[in-house]
Amino acid sequence: MDKLVVTGGHKLKGRVTISGSKNSALPILAATLLTPEKCTIHNVPDLSDIRFMLAILRFLGSEVTFEHGTVTVKAEKIHAEAPYDLVRKMRASICVLGPLLARCGEAIISLPGGCVIGDRPVDIHLKGMEALGAQVATEGGNVVARASKLRGVEIYLGSKFGSTVLGTDNVMMAATLAEGTTVIEGAACEPEVKDLAEFLNKMGAKIRGHGTRRIEIEGVKGLHGVEHTVIPDRIEAGTFMIASLITKGEVTVEKMEPGHLNNFIERMKSCGAQFRVGPDWVTSTVPRKMASLDVVTETYPGFPTDMQAQLCALMSVTDGISVITDKIFPNRFMHLPELKRMGAKVDLEGSTAIITGVPGLSAAPVMASDLRASAALVLAGLVAKGRTEVNRVYHIDRGYEQIDVKLRALGAEIERVKSPA
Ligand code: EPU
């Protein structure tokens, strides 16, 4: 397995271009199953999760190409059973459920298993499909959903953790071809959900209210091919801003959407970071010492859970005591024991990390457990004394396009060491 070796102590400086959003691209790719016509999607990041999704689409019968960030998909003749071997590799594959059910009248998808960031049920996705009129059963580890006709309905999609992003996506996609109007209350407002809705509307869907808690979908008879450009990845952008702050450097993050990170930027300002913000770029600096922070992750526009691990890395070298609670994924703290091995002073109480800032970290071999945890360990490595080895780097390749190349261009000392074949 490849690893990243990071030698800390270099201030990052320069410009970095942000890739297209993984979490937007994945459901948008799934949505291509809703039409037999060709869809062209630009700004698709070349990530292993994207490659998994393309493999699923090919398996289902779609013709797929992927070159220079542009994907074309033609789902002319498809079938409705997604293969276990591909689905188990990526939880986001559940978002083919809605499109398959709407297009084929059935969907058979293996139930996503456990996940290191916590129990990740799909009960709300299934509740949504049932409300639209599908019969849903679990057979031999598969979700089997069937419906001769989907019918519009009013449905509340909240969970005890707030709204669900892919659950909202799934129901919204299925409802595009249902008879009548569907109203989703408690919908997720994330920019990625809005991007998907805009993609669907270009295909001929009639969706209103996306980006708010109430989405209305008027069913249509059919959808057509479309061309679309995926929004920039706000989490990649935020991660590079932290790379700038943690090394006390000056990095300009380009081709991003600053408005998608308002909450993050405000929180960082409150503890001493400074930002210059342009229409599609942000420069981050730390003119003085940063202060500690209390943060609770929330659904959009709150502080994103996908930035929690990276924030823990930053706060572990920031004066004072920070208190960071993850309300979305209460068990998403696998990075803490690894940060501890690098000298961080952290305690976990329930779903709250209590971090006492230390003057410096020291390098250690560490193990990535999931995508954002690996990003946090790389960030910690940028300031740790010595050579930090981040093992199991395939996690980071699921969600960051060439992170080592981008960091190196900013002055980081980082290399990818290939494991012997
Ligand atoms: N939940 C349920 N039942 C469901 C669905 C969700 O109880 O049927 C709970 C979850 O267990 C969690 C909360 O609701 O506690 C929110 O989960 P959500 O469904 O919103 O997560 P998701 O849609 O599966 C997406 C992103 C995640 C991101 C979350 C939250 C994609 C492909 N994944 O997951 O991204 O953390 O929304 O914003 O869009 C990442 O990129 O690192 C990542 C994990």
Side-chain angles (χ1 to χ4, degrees), residues 22-23 120-124 161 164-166 306 328 372:
K22 162 181 84 81
N23 290 348
R120 294 181 68 185
V122 291
D123 55 316
I124 300 172
F161 301 108
T164 157
V165 173
L166 293 179
D306 291 343
I328 311 293
R372 307 304 169 189

Side-chain angles (χ1 to χ4, degrees), residues 116-278:
V116 73
I117 71 174
D119 185 25
R120 294 181 68 185
V122 291
D123 55 316
I124 300 172
H125 302 234
L126 305 186
K127 173 178 129 180
M129 299 306 142
E130 278 174 341
L132 286 167
Q135 287 186 327
V136 181
T138 313
E139 288 168 17
N142 290 323
V143 176
V144 181
R146 291 200 173 89
S148 50
K149 188 171 269 182
L150 294 175
R151 289 202 171 80
V153 68
E154 276 204 26
I155 178 166
Y156 174 72
L157 280 190
S159 79
K160 62 179 175 181
F161 301 108
S163 49
T164 157
V165 173
L166 293 179
T168 302
D169 289 345
N170 240 335
V171 175
M172 188 164 72
M173 290 189 276
T176 55
L177 295 178
E179 198 179 275
T181 298
T182 300
V183 177
I184 304 176
E185 298 278 6
C189 306
E190 272 66 7
E192 296 76 20
V193 177
K194 204 169 162 201
D195 198 24
L196 171 66
E198 278 161 16
F199 177 78
L200 293 167
N201 278 346
K202 285 187 196 165
M203 291 173 95
K206 291 190 173 162
I207 303 174
R208 289 181 294 275
H210 40 294
T212 76
R213 293 267 171 241
R214 186 179 197 274
I215 301 180
E216 237 181 83
I217 308 123
E218 196 183 320
V220 296
K221 289 253 179 310
L223 297 171
H224 54 75
V226 71
E227 194 162 345
H228 184 77
T229 300
V230 170
I231 59 171
D233 196 311
R234 64 191 164 108
I235 305 302
E236 189 198 12
T239 303
F240 276 100
M241 287 184 198
I242 290 197
S244 179
L245 299 176
I246 202 169
T247 63
K248 303 199 166 29
E250 181 164 347
V251 172
T252 300
V253 176
E254 295 182 324
K255 272 186 91 179
M256 64 168 290
E257 173 52 64
H260 290 169
L261 281 168
N262 276 341
N263 185 300
F264 169 77
I265 289 174
E266 286 310 312
R267 300 316 304 268
M268 292 295 104
K269 275 186 191 166
S270 75
C271 59
Q274 280 193 356
F275 297 95
R276 292 195 301 281
V277 179

Side-chain angles (χ1 to χ4, degrees), residues 12-29:
L12 300 196
K13 279 200 163 37
R15 300 168 174 277
V16 60
T17 300
I18 294 309
S19 303
S21 160
K22 162 181 84 81
N23 290 348
S24 231
L26 288 170
I28 284 175
L29 290 170

Side-chain angles (χ1 to χ4, degrees), residues 45-53 90 394-399:
D46 193 351
L47 302 169
S48 53
D49 272 12
I50 296 293
R51 298 266 171 187
F52 289 140
M53 181 56 86
M90 185 184 61
Y394 59 86
H395 286 295
I396 215 164
D397 294 332
R398 302 182 67 152

